Amino acid sequence: MLPVFRKLRRSLLVNNKLGKYLVYAIGEIVLVVIGILIALQVNKEVEAGKRYDLETDILHEIRAGLITDLSDIEYNIGAHQRIRESQLEVLKWLNREIPYTDTLDFHFTRLNNSTVFVSNDAPYESLKQIGIRLISNDSLRDKITTVYDLDFDYYKDHVVMYNDMVVRGWYDVNSHYFDGTRFLFNNPENRMKPLDTIRIREENLFRHYVSSITEFNDFYVRRIMMRAKRGAEELIAMLDQEIAIRE
């Protein structure tokens, strides 16, 4: 094709047909520009397709991580509700509402239990490395950042606070009233028997500890864990909707 164009251009110049040559030259330039534009458009569409596929993959990965996170949160909520049952039972005894029985030894133990939360942040961290603007849905993008940077981080901060209270309670409070040598953290059959049931009930140190951790636990479950749970559930629903549109 190019040799034909060259011969035509040479013929027009030889025959002194300048006007036709200019028209031809302009047409040739237009064809070249159109070719470049087409190539650019094709390349743009290819890149857009790759970006779309990458975004879809990231959405799937975030969803998979959230499913695990939600299961962990729900387990922790149940665990802390059971822990609070023991805390309330011990408070009843401290307030002389129930008599002491060996069953209380189980509750003395369980009131000190706690949980941890380690979210599956790898997909979100990958997204931040790529660029959060990869997520084209504005509402979904905002929800992702809210759940990971606010809801989950807030939860993790309180995990540290609650567990620190438990550890300090164990060393600063429980060590005065229980025989710690009989307690092993990996033994589910542990029973913390008070060294002196009269002293533990009369002194305010243990009462204050149990009251404080019970109140914190209630706030922890109702406000912190439930917030993280709702955030995860809402984000999973939004991800399901976005993924369904794409598939």
mmCIF file of all heavy atoms in Angstrom, residues 204-238:
data_model
loop_
_atom_site.group_PDB
_atom_site.id
_atom_site.type_symbol
_atom_site.label_atom_id
_atom_site.label_comp_id
_atom_site.label_asym_id
_atom_site.label_seq_id
_atom_site.Cartn_x
_atom_site.Cartn_y
_atom_site.Cartn_z
ATOM 1 N N ASN A 204 -12.764 -3.911 99.189
ATOM 2 C CA ASN A 204 -13.299 -3.263 97.982
ATOM 3 C C ASN A 204 -12.460 -3.485 96.725
ATOM 4 O O ASN A 204 -12.929 -3.217 95.622
ATOM 5 C CB ASN A 204 -13.437 -1.755 98.218
ATOM 6 C CG ASN A 204 -14.582 -1.418 99.152
ATOM 7 O OD1 ASN A 204 -15.607 -2.105 99.165
ATOM 8 N ND2 ASN A 204 -14.412 -0.364 99.943
ATOM 9 N N LEU A 205 -11.240 -3.945 96.873
ATOM 10 C CA LEU A 205 -10.348 -4.076 95.724
ATOM 11 C C LEU A 205 -10.928 -5.009 94.668
ATOM 12 O O LEU A 205 -11.007 -4.652 93.478
ATOM 13 C CB LEU A 205 -8.977 -4.584 96.180
ATOM 14 C CG LEU A 205 -7.920 -4.743 95.076
ATOM 15 C CD1 LEU A 205 -7.646 -3.406 94.405
ATOM 16 C CD2 LEU A 205 -6.633 -5.341 95.654
ATOM 17 N N PHE A 206 -11.331 -6.204 95.080
ATOM 18 C CA PHE A 206 -11.861 -7.172 94.121
ATOM 19 C C PHE A 206 -13.217 -6.713 93.582
ATOM 20 O O PHE A 206 -13.504 -6.846 92.391
ATOM 21 C CB PHE A 206 -11.999 -8.544 94.780
ATOM 22 C CG PHE A 206 -12.423 -9.622 93.826
ATOM 23 C CD1 PHE A 206 -11.554 -10.116 92.859
ATOM 24 C CD2 PHE A 206 -13.707 -10.148 93.892
ATOM 25 C CE1 PHE A 206 -11.955 -11.115 91.969
ATOM 26 C CE2 PHE A 206 -14.116 -11.150 93.021
ATOM 27 C CZ PHE A 206 -13.237 -11.626 92.058
ATOM 28 N N ARG A 207 -14.059 -6.157 94.446
ATOM 29 C CA ARG A 207 -15.370 -5.667 94.024
ATOM 30 C C ARG A 207 -15.223 -4.578 92.951
ATOM 31 O O ARG A 207 -15.947 -4.568 91.957
ATOM 32 C CB ARG A 207 -16.138 -5.125 95.231
ATOM 33 C CG ARG A 207 -17.543 -4.616 94.879
ATOM 34 C CD ARG A 207 -18.149 -3.898 96.084
ATOM 35 N NE ARG A 207 -18.253 -4.808 97.214
ATOM 36 C CZ ARG A 207 -19.298 -5.602 97.418
ATOM 37 N NH1 ARG A 207 -20.310 -5.587 96.568
ATOM 38 N NH2 ARG A 207 -19.335 -6.385 98.492
ATOM 39 N N HIS A 208 -14.292 -3.671 93.199
ATOM 40 C CA HIS A 208 -14.082 -2.578 92.235
ATOM 41 C C HIS A 208 -13.610 -3.128 90.890
ATOM 42 O O HIS A 208 -14.054 -2.677 89.827
ATOM 43 C CB HIS A 208 -13.055 -1.589 92.792
ATOM 44 C CG HIS A 208 -12.705 -0.489 91.840
ATOM 45 N ND1 HIS A 208 -13.570 0.539 91.536
ATOM 46 C CD2 HIS A 208 -11.568 -0.267 91.103
ATOM 47 C CE1 HIS A 208 -12.992 1.343 90.650
ATOM 48 N NE2 HIS A 208 -11.787 0.884 90.379
ATOM 49 N N TYR A 209 -12.707 -4.108 90.929
ATOM 50 C CA TYR A 209 -12.209 -4.709 89.693
ATOM 51 C C TYR A 209 -13.333 -5.378 88.912
ATOM 52 O O TYR A 209 -13.492 -5.138 87.709
ATOM 53 C CB TYR A 209 -11.115 -5.724 90.009
ATOM 54 C CG TYR A 209 -10.775 -6.632 88.842
ATOM 55 C CD1 TYR A 209 -10.241 -6.129 87.664
ATOM 56 C CD2 TYR A 209 -11.028 -8.013 88.926
ATOM 57 C CE1 TYR A 209 -9.934 -6.963 86.591
ATOM 58 C CE2 TYR A 209 -10.733 -8.847 87.856
ATOM 59 C CZ TYR A 209 -10.198 -8.327 86.694
ATOM 60 O OH TYR A 209 -9.912 -9.151 85.633
ATOM 61 N N VAL A 210 -14.134 -6.183 89.595
ATOM 62 C CA VAL A 210 -15.209 -6.897 88.906
ATOM 63 C C VAL A 210 -16.248 -5.922 88.366
ATOM 64 O O VAL A 210 -16.729 -6.056 87.238
ATOM 65 C CB VAL A 210 -15.866 -7.933 89.843
ATOM 66 C CG1 VAL A 210 -17.037 -8.618 89.137
ATOM 67 C CG2 VAL A 210 -14.846 -8.966 90.304
ATOM 68 N N SER A 211 -16.598 -4.913 89.155
ATOM 69 C CA SER A 211 -17.572 -3.907 88.698
ATOM 70 C C SER A 211 -17.064 -3.162 87.470
ATOM 71 O O SER A 211 -17.808 -2.947 86.500
ATOM 72 C CB SER A 211 -17.875 -2.906 89.820
ATOM 73 O OG SER A 211 -18.448 -3.547 90.927
ATOM 74 N N SER A 212 -15.799 -2.785 87.503
ATOM 75 C CA SER A 212 -15.217 -2.016 86.390
ATOM 76 C C SER A 212 -15.148 -2.832 85.112
ATOM 77 O O SER A 212 -15.529 -2.357 84.032
ATOM 78 C CB SER A 212 -13.814 -1.526 86.770
ATOM 79 O OG SER A 212 -13.857 -0.677 87.882
ATOM 80 N N ILE A 213 -14.688 -4.065 85.227
ATOM 81 C CA ILE A 213 -14.521 -4.865 84.024
ATOM 82 C C ILE A 213 -15.868 -5.309 83.466
ATOM 83 O O ILE A 213 -16.030 -5.477 82.260
ATOM 84 C CB ILE A 213 -13.592 -6.071 84.286
ATOM 85 C CG1 ILE A 213 -13.014 -6.564 82.952
ATOM 86 C CG2 ILE A 213 -14.319 -7.204 85.010
ATOM 87 C CD1 ILE A 213 -11.870 -7.537 83.102
ATOM 88 N N THR A 214 -16.870 -5.472 84.355
ATOM 89 C CA THR A 214 -18.221 -5.814 83.891
ATOM 90 C C THR A 214 -18.816 -4.662 83.090
ATOM 91 O O THR A 214 -19.417 -4.861 82.024
ATOM 92 C CB THR A 214 -19.128 -6.140 85.089
ATOM 93 O OG1 THR A 214 -18.563 -7.221 85.825
ATOM 94 C CG2 THR A 214 -20.526 -6.530 84.616
ATOM 95 N N GLU A 215 -18.648 -3.458 83.606
ATOM 96 C CA GLU A 215 -19.168 -2.277 82.907
ATOM 97 C C GLU A 215 -18.456 -2.070 81.576
ATOM 98 O O GLU A 215 -19.088 -1.779 80.554
ATOM 99 C CB GLU A 215 -18.994 -1.044 83.794
ATOM 100 C CG GLU A 215 -19.587 0.220 83.202
ATOM 101 C CD GLU A 215 -19.479 1.410 84.137
ATOM 102 O OE1 GLU A 215 -19.181 1.202 85.321
ATOM 103 O OE2 GLU A 215 -19.684 2.549 83.673
ATOM 104 N N PHE A 216 -17.148 -2.230 81.576
ATOM 105 C CA PHE A 216 -16.375 -2.078 80.340
ATOM 106 C C PHE A 216 -16.785 -3.152 79.338
ATOM 107 O O PHE A 216 -16.936 -2.881 78.146
ATOM 108 C CB PHE A 216 -14.889 -2.175 80.652
ATOM 109 C CG PHE A 216 -13.977 -1.773 79.514
ATOM 110 C CD1 PHE A 216 -12.601 -1.738 79.697
ATOM 111 C CD2 PHE A 216 -14.475 -1.433 78.263
ATOM 112 C CE1 PHE A 216 -11.753 -1.373 78.668
ATOM 113 C CE2 PHE A 216 -13.628 -1.064 77.218
ATOM 114 C CZ PHE A 216 -12.266 -1.055 77.428
ATOM 115 N N ASN A 217 -16.973 -4.368 79.804
ATOM 116 C CA ASN A 217 -17.343 -5.465 78.919
ATOM 117 C C ASN A 217 -18.686 -5.194 78.238
ATOM 118 O O ASN A 217 -18.865 -5.472 77.047
ATOM 119 C CB ASN A 217 -17.409 -6.774 79.717
ATOM 120 C CG ASN A 217 -17.494 -7.995 78.818
ATOM 121 O OD1 ASN A 217 -17.190 -7.944 77.634
ATOM 122 N ND2 ASN A 217 -17.911 -9.109 79.401
ATOM 123 N N ASP A 218 -19.629 -4.654 78.998
ATOM 124 C CA ASP A 218 -20.945 -4.333 78.434
ATOM 125 C C ASP A 218 -20.808 -3.298 77.319
ATOM 126 O O ASP A 218 -21.375 -3.444 76.229
ATOM 127 C CB ASP A 218 -21.854 -3.809 79.541
ATOM 128 C CG ASP A 218 -23.229 -3.452 79.021
ATOM 129 O OD1 ASP A 218 -23.866 -4.305 78.368
ATOM 130 O OD2 ASP A 218 -23.672 -2.308 79.264
ATOM 131 N N PHE A 219 -20.045 -2.241 77.593
ATOM 132 C CA PHE A 219 -19.794 -1.210 76.578
ATOM 133 C C PHE A 219 -19.050 -1.805 75.385
ATOM 134 O O PHE A 219 -19.376 -1.509 74.226
ATOM 135 C CB PHE A 219 -18.962 -0.079 77.197
ATOM 136 C CG PHE A 219 -18.433 0.919 76.205
ATOM 137 C CD1 PHE A 219 -19.240 1.915 75.699
ATOM 138 C CD2 PHE A 219 -17.108 0.837 75.771
ATOM 139 C CE1 PHE A 219 -18.744 2.833 74.769
ATOM 140 C CE2 PHE A 219 -16.613 1.750 74.855
ATOM 141 C CZ PHE A 219 -17.438 2.747 74.353
ATOM 142 N N TYR A 220 -18.075 -2.632 75.665
ATOM 143 C CA TYR A 220 -17.237 -3.278 74.650
ATOM 144 C C TYR A 220 -18.084 -4.056 73.647
ATOM 145 O O TYR A 220 -17.911 -3.944 72.433
ATOM 146 C CB TYR A 220 -16.270 -4.202 75.390
ATOM 147 C CG TYR A 220 -15.146 -4.812 74.603
ATOM 148 C CD1 TYR A 220 -14.593 -4.206 73.484
ATOM 149 C CD2 TYR A 220 -14.591 -6.029 75.032
ATOM 150 C CE1 TYR A 220 -13.541 -4.777 72.805
ATOM 151 C CE2 TYR A 220 -13.534 -6.602 74.356
ATOM 152 C CZ TYR A 220 -13.024 -5.981 73.237
ATOM 153 O OH TYR A 220 -11.965 -6.560 72.578
ATOM 154 N N VAL A 221 -19.036 -4.836 74.168
ATOM 155 C CA VAL A 221 -19.880 -5.652 73.288
ATOM 156 C C VAL A 221 -20.895 -4.791 72.550
ATOM 157 O O VAL A 221 -21.018 -4.858 71.315
ATOM 158 C CB VAL A 221 -20.605 -6.751 74.097
ATOM 159 C CG1 VAL A 221 -21.627 -7.474 73.215
ATOM 160 C CG2 VAL A 221 -19.596 -7.755 74.651
ATOM 161 N N ARG A 222 -21.644 -3.986 73.297
ATOM 162 C CA ARG A 222 -22.759 -3.246 72.697
ATOM 163 C C ARG A 222 -22.316 -2.161 71.727
ATOM 164 O O ARG A 222 -22.965 -1.943 70.697
ATOM 165 C CB ARG A 222 -23.624 -2.617 73.792
ATOM 166 C CG ARG A 222 -24.449 -3.590 74.589
ATOM 167 C CD ARG A 222 -25.420 -2.876 75.523
ATOM 168 N NE ARG A 222 -24.753 -1.967 76.453
ATOM 169 C CZ ARG A 222 -24.729 -0.646 76.299
ATOM 170 N NH1 ARG A 222 -25.306 -0.066 75.268
ATOM 171 N NH2 ARG A 222 -24.103 0.124 77.198
ATOM 172 N N ARG A 223 -21.233 -1.476 72.030
ATOM 173 C CA ARG A 223 -20.836 -0.325 71.224
ATOM 174 C C ARG A 223 -19.691 -0.628 70.264
ATOM 175 O O ARG A 223 -19.718 -0.160 69.108
ATOM 176 C CB ARG A 223 -20.454 0.838 72.150
ATOM 177 C CG ARG A 223 -21.569 1.296 73.066
ATOM 178 C CD ARG A 223 -22.701 1.958 72.283
ATOM 179 N NE ARG A 223 -22.224 3.157 71.627
ATOM 180 C CZ ARG A 223 -22.153 4.349 72.210
ATOM 181 N NH1 ARG A 223 -22.521 4.490 73.483
ATOM 182 N NH2 ARG A 223 -21.728 5.406 71.557
ATOM 183 N N ILE A 224 -18.693 -1.347 70.710
ATOM 184 C CA ILE A 224 -17.492 -1.535 69.901
ATOM 185 C C ILE A 224 -17.621 -2.742 68.972
ATOM 186 O O ILE A 224 -17.487 -2.620 67.755
ATOM 187 C CB ILE A 224 -16.246 -1.697 70.795
ATOM 188 C CG1 ILE A 224 -16.170 -0.551 71.823
ATOM 189 C CG2 ILE A 224 -14.999 -1.755 69.929
ATOM 190 C CD1 ILE A 224 -16.165 0.821 71.212
ATOM 191 N N MET A 225 -17.892 -3.909 69.558
ATOM 192 C CA MET A 225 -17.999 -5.113 68.735
ATOM 193 C C MET A 225 -19.186 -5.039 67.770
ATOM 194 O O MET A 225 -19.083 -5.434 66.608
ATOM 195 C CB MET A 225 -18.121 -6.353 69.625
ATOM 196 C CG MET A 225 -16.872 -6.680 70.418
ATOM 197 S SD MET A 225 -17.065 -8.250 71.282
ATOM 198 C CE MET A 225 -15.483 -8.354 72.125
ATOM 199 N N MET A 226 -20.321 -4.562 68.275
ATOM 200 C CA MET A 226 -21.508 -4.474 67.425
ATOM 201 C C MET A 226 -21.293 -3.484 66.275
ATOM 202 O O MET A 226 -21.791 -3.683 65.171
ATOM 203 C CB MET A 226 -22.723 -4.066 68.256
ATOM 204 C CG MET A 226 -23.249 -5.163 69.157
ATOM 205 S SD MET A 226 -23.801 -6.614 68.205
ATOM 206 C CE MET A 226 -24.494 -7.617 69.532
ATOM 207 N N ARG A 227 -20.563 -2.432 66.544
ATOM 208 C CA ARG A 227 -20.244 -1.470 65.474
ATOM 209 C C ARG A 227 -19.415 -2.141 64.392
ATOM 210 O O ARG A 227 -19.685 -1.986 63.193
ATOM 211 C CB ARG A 227 -19.489 -0.277 66.063
ATOM 212 C CG ARG A 227 -18.915 0.665 65.021
ATOM 213 C CD ARG A 227 -18.167 1.819 65.663
ATOM 214 N NE ARG A 227 -17.444 2.614 64.691
ATOM 215 C CZ ARG A 227 -16.798 3.738 64.979
ATOM 216 N NH1 ARG A 227 -16.797 4.202 66.211
ATOM 217 N NH2 ARG A 227 -16.148 4.400 64.041
ATOM 218 N N ALA A 228 -18.401 -2.908 64.798
ATOM 219 C CA ALA A 228 -17.561 -3.620 63.832
ATOM 220 C C ALA A 228 -18.383 -4.664 63.071
ATOM 221 O O ALA A 228 -18.207 -4.841 61.862
ATOM 222 C CB ALA A 228 -16.390 -4.289 64.540
ATOM 223 N N LYS A 229 -19.282 -5.333 63.774
ATOM 224 C CA LYS A 229 -20.134 -6.351 63.142
ATOM 225 C C LYS A 229 -21.050 -5.719 62.093
ATOM 226 O O LYS A 229 -21.157 -6.212 60.961
ATOM 227 C CB LYS A 229 -20.967 -7.057 64.210
ATOM 228 C CG LYS A 229 -21.909 -8.143 63.673
ATOM 229 C CD LYS A 229 -22.615 -8.835 64.829
ATOM 230 C CE LYS A 229 -23.541 -9.950 64.337
ATOM 231 N NZ LYS A 229 -24.724 -9.418 63.643
ATOM 232 N N ARG A 230 -21.718 -4.628 62.455
ATOM 233 C CA ARG A 230 -22.599 -3.953 61.503
ATOM 234 C C ARG A 230 -21.825 -3.449 60.292
ATOM 235 O O ARG A 230 -22.287 -3.572 59.143
ATOM 236 C CB ARG A 230 -23.321 -2.785 62.181
ATOM 237 C CG ARG A 230 -24.451 -3.192 63.092
ATOM 238 C CD ARG A 230 -25.301 -1.988 63.469
ATOM 239 N NE ARG A 230 -24.499 -0.979 64.150
ATOM 240 C CZ ARG A 230 -24.326 -0.926 65.471
ATOM 241 N NH1 ARG A 230 -24.867 -1.847 66.241
ATOM 242 N NH2 ARG A 230 -23.607 0.039 66.008
ATOM 243 N N GLY A 231 -20.658 -2.876 60.548
ATOM 244 C CA GLY A 231 -19.848 -2.373 59.446
ATOM 245 C C GLY A 231 -19.466 -3.480 58.475
ATOM 246 O O GLY A 231 -19.553 -3.313 57.259
ATOM 247 N N ALA A 232 -19.043 -4.625 59.010
ATOM 248 C CA ALA A 232 -18.659 -5.757 58.165
ATOM 249 C C ALA A 232 -19.854 -6.281 57.385
ATOM 250 O O ALA A 232 -19.756 -6.567 56.185
ATOM 251 C CB ALA A 232 -18.052 -6.866 59.021
ATOM 252 N N GLU A 233 -21.001 -6.399 58.043
ATOM 253 C CA GLU A 233 -22.212 -6.902 57.378
ATOM 254 C C GLU A 233 -22.652 -5.964 56.258
ATOM 255 O O GLU A 233 -23.005 -6.422 55.151
ATOM 256 C CB GLU A 233 -23.335 -7.068 58.394
ATOM 257 C CG GLU A 233 -23.131 -8.226 59.361
ATOM 258 C CD GLU A 233 -24.176 -8.268 60.450
ATOM 259 O OE1 GLU A 233 -24.775 -7.203 60.761
ATOM 260 O OE2 GLU A 233 -24.391 -9.348 61.023
ATOM 261 N N GLU A 234 -22.644 -4.680 56.522
ATOM 262 C CA GLU A 234 -23.058 -3.700 55.513
ATOM 263 C C GLU A 234 -22.101 -3.695 54.322
ATOM 264 O O GLU A 234 -22.531 -3.603 53.167
ATOM 265 C CB GLU A 234 -23.144 -2.313 56.144
ATOM 266 C CG GLU A 234 -24.275 -2.165 57.146
ATOM 267 C CD GLU A 234 -24.182 -0.884 57.952
ATOM 268 O OE1 GLU A 234 -23.227 -0.100 57.723
ATOM 269 O OE2 GLU A 234 -25.064 -0.655 58.809
ATOM 270 N N LEU A 235 -20.805 -3.798 54.619
ATOM 271 C CA LEU A 235 -19.819 -3.800 53.533
ATOM 272 C C LEU A 235 -19.932 -5.068 52.689
ATOM 273 O O LEU A 235 -19.828 -5.005 51.458
ATOM 274 C CB LEU A 235 -18.412 -3.668 54.105
ATOM 275 C CG LEU A 235 -17.267 -3.651 53.082
ATOM 276 C CD1 LEU A 235 -17.511 -2.627 51.984
ATOM 277 C CD2 LEU A 235 -15.935 -3.379 53.782
ATOM 278 N N ILE A 236 -20.160 -6.201 53.315
ATOM 279 C CA ILE A 236 -20.326 -7.456 52.566
ATOM 280 C C ILE A 236 -21.537 -7.345 51.641
ATOM 281 O O ILE A 236 -21.484 -7.772 50.482
ATOM 282 C CB ILE A 236 -20.486 -8.644 53.527
ATOM 283 C CG1 ILE A 236 -19.148 -8.949 54.214
ATOM 284 C CG2 ILE A 236 -20.981 -9.889 52.781
ATOM 285 C CD1 ILE A 236 -19.245 -9.964 55.337
ATOM 286 N N ALA A 237 -22.632 -6.758 52.136
ATOM 287 C CA ALA A 237 -23.828 -6.581 51.312
ATOM 288 C C ALA A 237 -23.545 -5.682 50.106
ATOM 289 O O ALA A 237 -23.985 -5.969 48.984
ATOM 290 C CB ALA A 237 -24.966 -6.009 52.151
ATOM 291 N N MET A 238 -22.794 -4.610 50.327
ATOM 292 C CA MET A 238 -22.447 -3.703 49.226
ATOM 293 C C MET A 238 -21.528 -4.383 48.221
ATOM 294 O O MET A 238 -21.664 -4.192 47.004
ATOM 295 C CB MET A 238 -21.790 -2.445 49.782
ATOM 296 C CG MET A 238 -22.721 -1.566 50.607
ATOM 297 S SD MET A 238 -21.892 -0.111 51.318
ATOM 298 C CE MET A 238 -21.596 0.864 49.825
#
